[in-house]
Amino acid sequence: GQPALWLARGRSRFTTETLHTFYVSYYLYTAGIGTYLYARRRYADFEEMTCATLIGYAVSYVGFDLLPLWGPRWALVDAGLLPIEERRLAGYAVTTWINGIQWDGMALKGGAMPSSHTSTGVVFLYWCWRLWGRRGGIPASIIVAGMAVGAVYGRYHYVTDVVAGAALAYAGIVVARRWIRPERRPG
């Protein structure tokens, strides 16, 4: 019943390319929100958003060192659940780029729990809803949902990694709000 095992089986190159595009979209959206806030001189908002994002990365990367849990692309093959010839997914340009990083480049076997992609995505989602309401929140919800599905589909994360990343983002948002804007503290 492991979605990371069966989700990508038998899918088209187009599906793989679409979900990989969602997966790598996180490289753009945090910088985009940060640039937007900074350019509009919303410095406290910029600091709050950046702080929440950095909390996610700091906790994730410390966790990666302390608990170097292998993502499904490694563990499922090692456990004999995924034939080695199925580990690389077929797509187009984005998939080829990701395959180069994952299989021919610098990817590490650890770094799965929690998903820093999801943590960053949920911070982005929060800020889109906060800044633009439904007009920005609905498209952001689609992008972040696509990224989360893409993370499991591409076998980079298990569903539990994605859930943990979302919980980490929530904690980062709460801490950042209280740390950057102490006047909002209750009591």
Side-chain angles (χ1 to χ4, degrees), residues 14 27 33 35 38 40 43 47 50 66 76 83 95 97 102 113 123 128 130-131 156 161-162 167-168 172 178 182:
F14 179 78
Y27 290 114
I33 288 286
T35 301
Y38 197 84
R40 299 231 171 350
Y43 300 126
E47 288 180 26
T50 303
L66 297 176
L76 293 173
T95 301
W97 175 61
Q102 297 302 324
M113 169 63 100
V123 171
C128 285
R130 185 168 161 183
L131 293 168
Y156 308 114
D161 304 338
V162 171
L168 175 58
R178 292 180 181 194

Side-chain angles (χ1 to χ4, degrees), residues 1 4 21 32 39 41 56 59 74 89 91 95 97 106-107 130 133 135 141-142 146 161 165-166 180:
T21 300
R41 300 180 190 275
V59 171
W74 308 105
L89 299 175
T95 301
W97 175 61
M106 61 190 167
R130 185 168 161 183
R135 194 181 65 192
S141 296
I142 293 167
D161 304 338
I180 301 302

Side-chain angles (χ1 to χ4, degrees), residues 17 53 65 101 109 116-117 145 155 164:
E17 189 72 7
T53 301
D65 282 343
I101 294 169
K109 285 190 174 182
S116 56
H117 275 75
R155 301 183 181 123

Side-chain angles (χ1 to χ4, degrees), residues 27-146:
Y27 290 114
L28 302 174
Y29 50 66
T30 301
I33 288 286
T35 301
Y36 174 85
L37 292 171
Y38 197 84
R40 299 231 171 350
R41 300 180 190 275
R42 295 179 68 167
Y43 300 126
D45 288 342
F46 174 81
E47 288 180 26
E48 188 178 325
M49 185 279 303
T50 303
C51 182
T53 301
L54 291 175
I55 288 169
Y57 280 120
V59 171
S60 291
Y61 280 85
V62 168
F64 296 164
D65 282 343
L66 297 176
L67 294 166
L69 301 173
W70 290 12
R73 67 186 182 271
W74 308 105
L76 293 173
V77 171
D78 284 0
L81 297 171
L82 181 69
I84 198 161
E85 63 271 6
E86 287 185 36
R87 70 180 186 167
R88 279 187 194 241
L89 299 175
Y92 302 108
V94 174
T95 301
T96 300
W97 175 61
I98 289 175
N99 280 339
I101 294 169
Q102 297 302 324
W103 305 111
D104 306 324
M106 61 190 167
L108 302 173
K109 285 190 174 182
M113 169 63 100
S115 167
S116 56
H117 275 75
T118 304
S119 177
T120 302
V122 171
V123 171
F124 164 75
L125 180 62
Y126 168 80
W127 278 94
C128 285
W129 279 100
R130 185 168 161 183
L131 293 168
W132 302 295
R134 289 175 40 166
R135 194 181 65 192
I138 291 172
S141 296
I142 293 167
I143 291 168
V144 172

